C-alpha cells in the first residue's frame, strides 16, 4: 500500500495567503457592492517597465525564427543573465563568480528546493514571526525546527543565542513580514555565529531593492566571512514586478564546503537533474532589469511603492501606533489596536472598512497581536485605505 508523506498532516490545513484569498472571496460574494482594498499578499501593482517589455518582445521574436530559436537552455541560466546579476552585485561591491549564480523561477521555489541538498537530520533555526514557507518546507521534510524570538523588545531583529546550536539558519532582511532590517553589525553577529557552529545561513534578500540607507546591507556577502556560510536567495518579484513573470536567482559561493563537499557542486547536480531552467523569453526580460535603462525604470516603480509606504507610516505616526518597517521595506508591521488578536482585527478591518491586510499570527506565534500591510498597492488606494484605517482606529 502506498504511504503518503505524513509530515504534510502536521501543516496548517491551508497556506496563509490561500486562507486570506478565501476569506476575501466569501466577503465579496456576500457584499458585491463594497470596494475592497487589498494590502494583504505582497503582490505588486505597477506594470513591468518599458525596458523589460521591449526585451521580452525581442525574446518572443527570436523564438519565431529558426536561426535564433532556443530549445533547452543551461539549467543554471543563460550567461547573459548570470553576467547581468554578477554586474549588479559588483555595483555594490560584492564580487561573485558567474558559476556561483543560479537563475531560478523565484525565491519561493528555491527556498524549498535548496533543502534537497541537506540531510533531514539537521536542526533548523527560524525566526518567529516568519514567511511561512521556511517553516512549512522544513515540516514537509520532517526536520527539527527551533524558533528564535523576534519581538517588539528586539525590534523584531533577534540576534544569535550562543546556547542554541543549529545547522540551517534562516534570515530575511529586509524582513518579511516585519519590514525590520539588520545593520552590518547585526548580520556580522549571525555570520560569526554560523561560522562558529558550522551552520549554513539561508539569506532571503527578496526585498533588498527597498534598502534606501547606506548604513544597511543589501546582500549578506557585504559581511566578511559570509562566503563561508551563506547562500543568498533573491527574486525579481519585488525588485522589478516579476510576481507573475517569475524569475530570481540563488547564489551558492564556491567556499561553502560542508562534510568535505562543495555545496555549489551539490546544488548544480540537483538543478541539472530536477530543473530545466527558466524560459529563455523570461530570462531575456530579466536581463533588461539590470541594463542602465532598466535600473532607472525599476527604481521609479520602487519609488512609487516607497511613496505609498511614506503615506502609511505618516498615518501610523499621526495615530501614535507602534510599528516597524516602511522605511527600507514595502511592509509595515504594526500593533493591533486595543490589544486585539490578529485574526479578529483582520475580520474587523475587512467587515467595517473593506481593507485587507495579513494577520501577524499567520506568520507565527510571536506575530499574534500584530498586523502586516503592504505598500505594493495603487497610490490612490493606499491613501484611501489609510483614511479608512484611521476611521476604524478612532472607534476603538
Ligand atoms: C508575501 O506577501 O509575504 C509575499 O508576497 C509572499 C511571497 O513572496 O511569496
Amino acid at each position: 500500500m502506498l504511504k503518503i508523506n505524513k509530515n504534510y498532516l502536521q501543516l496548517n490545513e491551508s497556506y496563509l495567503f490561500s486562507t486570506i484569498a478565501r476569506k476575501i472571496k466569501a466577503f465579496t460574494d456576500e457584499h458585491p457592492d463594497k470596494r475592497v482594498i487589498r494590502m494583504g499578499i505582497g503582490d505588486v501593482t505597477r506594470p513591468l517597465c518599458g525596458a523589460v517589455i521591449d526585451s521580452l518582445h525581442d525574446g518572443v521574436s527570436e523564438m519565431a525564427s529558426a536561426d535564433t530559436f532556443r530549445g533547452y537552455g543551461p539549467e543554471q541560466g543563460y550567461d547573459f543573465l548570470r553576467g547581468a546579476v554578477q554586474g549588479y552585485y559588483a555595483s555594490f561591491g560584492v564580487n561573485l563568480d558567474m558559476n556561483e549564480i543560479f537563475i531560478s523561477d523565484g525565491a519561493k521555489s528555491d527556498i524549498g528546493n535548496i533543502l534537497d541538498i541537506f540531510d533531514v537530520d539537521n536542526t533548523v533555526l527560524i525566526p518567529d514571526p516568519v514567511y511561512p514557507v521556511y517553516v512549512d518546507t522544513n515540516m514537509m521534510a520532517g526536520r527539527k525546527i527551533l524558533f528564535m524570538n523576534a519581538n517588539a523588545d528586539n525590534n523584531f531583529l533577534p540576534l544569535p543565542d550562543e546556547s542554541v546550536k543549529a545547522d540551517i539558519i534562516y534570515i530575511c532582511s529586509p524582513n518579511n513580514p516585519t519590514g525590520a532590517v539588520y545593520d552590518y553589525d547585526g548580520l556580522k553577529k549571525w555570520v560569526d555565529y554560523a561560522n562558529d557552529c558550522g551552520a549554513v545561513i539561508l539569506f532571503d534578500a527578496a526585498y533588498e531593492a527597498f534598502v534606501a540607507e547606506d548604513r544597511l546591507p543589501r546582500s549578506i556577502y557585504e559581511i566578511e566571512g559570509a562566503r563561508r556560510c551563506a547562500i543568498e536567495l533573491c527574486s525579481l518579484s519585488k525588485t522589478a514586478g516579476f510576481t507573475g513573470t517569475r524569475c530570481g536567482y540563488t547564489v551558492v559561493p564556491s567556499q561553502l564546503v560542508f562534510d568535505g563537499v562543495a555545496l555549489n557542486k551539490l546544488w548544480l547536480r540537483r538543478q541539472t537533474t530536477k530543473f530545466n531552467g527558466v524560459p529563455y523569453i523570461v530570462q531575456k526580460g530579466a536581463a533588461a532589469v539590470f541594463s542602465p535603462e532598466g535600473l532607472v525604470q525599476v527604481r521609479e516603480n520602487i519609488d512609487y511603492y516607497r511613496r505609498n509606504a511614506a503615506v502609511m507610516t505618516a498615518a501610523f505616526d499621526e495615530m501614535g501606533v507602534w510599528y516597524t518597517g516602511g522605511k527600507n521595506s514595502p511592509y509595515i508591521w504594526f500593533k493591533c489596536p486595543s490589544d486585539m488578536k490578529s485574526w479578529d482585527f483582520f475580520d474587523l478591518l475587512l467587515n467595517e472598512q473593506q481593507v485587507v491586510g495579513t494577520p501577524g499570527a499567520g506568520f507565527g506565534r510571536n506575530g499574534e497581536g500584530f498586523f502586516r500591510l503592504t505598500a505594493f498597492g495603487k497610490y490612490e488606494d493606499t491613501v484611501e485605505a489609510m483614511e479608512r484605517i484611521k476611521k476604524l482606529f478612532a472607534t476603538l
Side-chain angles (χ1 to χ4, degrees):
M1 267 283 267
L2 171 97
K3 295 186 184 62
I4 58 151
N5 178 351
K6 294 217 171 46
N7 294 318
Y8 276 67
L9 306 181
Q10 307 302 318
L11 301 168
N12 286 336
E13 201 169 315
S14 144
Y15 182 59
L16 173 62
F17 294 107
S18 316
T19 307
I20 291 173
R22 247 200 339 272
K23 278 184 171 263
I24 302 171
K25 183 163 183 329
F27 181 86
T28 49
D29 284 352
E30 210 176 309
H31 307 277
D33 52 315
K34 303 241 169 157
R35 195 173 84 83
V36 173
I37 301 180
R38 293 162 195 249
M39 300 168 93
I41 192 164
D43 198 3
V44 292
T45 51
R46 305 291 301 154
L48 296 173
C49 68
V52 169
I53 293 293
D54 289 346
S55 196
L56 288 169
H57 281 303
D58 289 347
V60 170
S61 301
E62 285 175 54
M63 295 301 263
S65 154
D67 296 341
T68 47
F69 170 78
R70 315 267 178 144
Y72 290 126
E75 293 89 344
Q76 312 93 295
Y78 284 99
D79 282 358
F80 66 80
L81 179 53
R82 293 159 88 208
V85 173
Q86 185 186 36
Y88 178 63
Y89 273 86
S91 73
F92 49 88
V94 173
N95 295 315
L96 299 175
D97 191 275
M98 217 145 86
N99 290 330
E100 297 176 324
I101 300 165
F102 295 77
I103 304 304
S104 71
D105 66 350
K108 181 178 181 178
S109 318
D110 271 6
I111 283 167
N113 294 338
I114 197 79
L115 295 174
D116 268 15
I117 64 171
F118 303 121
D119 197 290
V120 169
D121 189 19
N122 278 302
T123 300
V124 182
L125 183 59
I126 303 183
D128 175 359
V130 77
Y131 179 39
V133 175
Y134 308 160
V135 177
D136 288 1
T137 51
N138 279 290
M139 284 180 69
M140 287 169 179
R143 244 177 232 104
K144 179 177 172 199
I145 302 176
L146 303 176
F147 289 98
M148 48 174 123
N149 259 322
N151 50 45
D153 292 337
N154 56 29
N155 284 317
F156 288 94
L157 293 169
L159 291 172
D161 172 350
E162 302 296 335
S163 68
V164 174
K165 293 292 166 232
D167 307 300
I168 301 172
I169 301 162
Y170 286 80
I171 299 177
C172 177
S173 180
N175 187 265
N176 179 15
T178 67
V181 191
Y182 280 104
D183 62 13
Y184 285 87
D185 281 353
L187 273 194
K188 176 79 173 111
K189 289 195 171 79
W190 278 112
V191 166
D192 290 346
Y193 167 81
N195 279 325
D196 284 350
C197 314
V200 72
I201 294 176
L202 300 181
F203 186 77
D204 183 346
Y207 300 91
E208 61 83 20
F210 285 83
V211 170
E213 294 172 70
D214 288 343
R215 66 178 186 90
L216 302 170
R218 296 160 64 169
S219 161
I220 195 153
Y221 303 121
E222 291 181 67
I223 311 299
E224 201 253 304
R227 289 181 56 89
R228 282 183 285 121
C229 65
I231 290 175
E232 182 158 300
L233 303 110
C234 197
S235 157
L236 296 184
S237 287
K238 320 293 158 126
T239 302
F242 271 58
T243 50
T245 309
R246 309 305 309 152
C247 196
Y249 45 88
T250 296
V251 180
V252 187
S254 53
Q255 287 101 317
L256 289 179
V257 178
F258 292 83
D259 268 351
V261 179
L263 295 189
N264 183 290
K265 220 173 121 188
L266 284 190
W267 181 239
L268 178 64
R269 187 68 181 82
R270 190 267 173 210
Q271 290 297 81
T272 47
T273 305
K274 292 199 181 179
F275 187 52
N276 257 337
V278 174
Y280 173 70
I281 297 165
V282 171
Q283 293 194 53
K284 274 286 282 189
V289 169
F290 303 104
S291 66
E293 196 191 5
L295 285 171
V296 170
Q297 293 173 357
V298 299
R299 176 67 34 211
E300 282 164 11
N301 280 346
I302 286 169
D303 285 345
Y304 178 96
Y305 299 131
R306 272 197 224 290
R307 185 167 64 134
N308 288 347
V311 168
M312 296 158 73
T313 53
F316 287 119
D317 286 338
E318 189 187 319
M319 291 185 283
V321 172
W322 190 97
Y323 67 90
T324 55
K327 304 251 157 42
N328 296 279
S329 156
Y331 294 126
I332 284 103
W333 173 259
F334 64 93
K335 196 152 176 17
C336 296
S338 313
D339 289 327
M340 283 181 83
K341 292 194 155 194
S342 310
W343 279 106
D344 292 343
F345 184 66
F346 174 92
D347 289 332
L348 187 74
L349 188 57
L350 177 59
N351 290 320
E352 298 295 314
Q353 294 295 336
Q354 293 79 58
V355 175
V356 175
T358 310
F363 297 102
R365 196 179 296 185
N366 282 7
E368 183 58 277
F370 290 88
F371 205 76
R372 191 194 79 174
L373 292 176
T374 97
F376 285 123
K378 296 201 172 80
Y379 177 73
E380 296 71 21
D381 285 349
T382 306
V383 171
E384 184 175 336
M386 293 320 295
E387 288 309 315
R388 294 185 189 184
I389 288 172
K390 278 197 246 173
K391 228 183 269 170
L392 180 64
F393 269 70
T395 65
L396 296 168

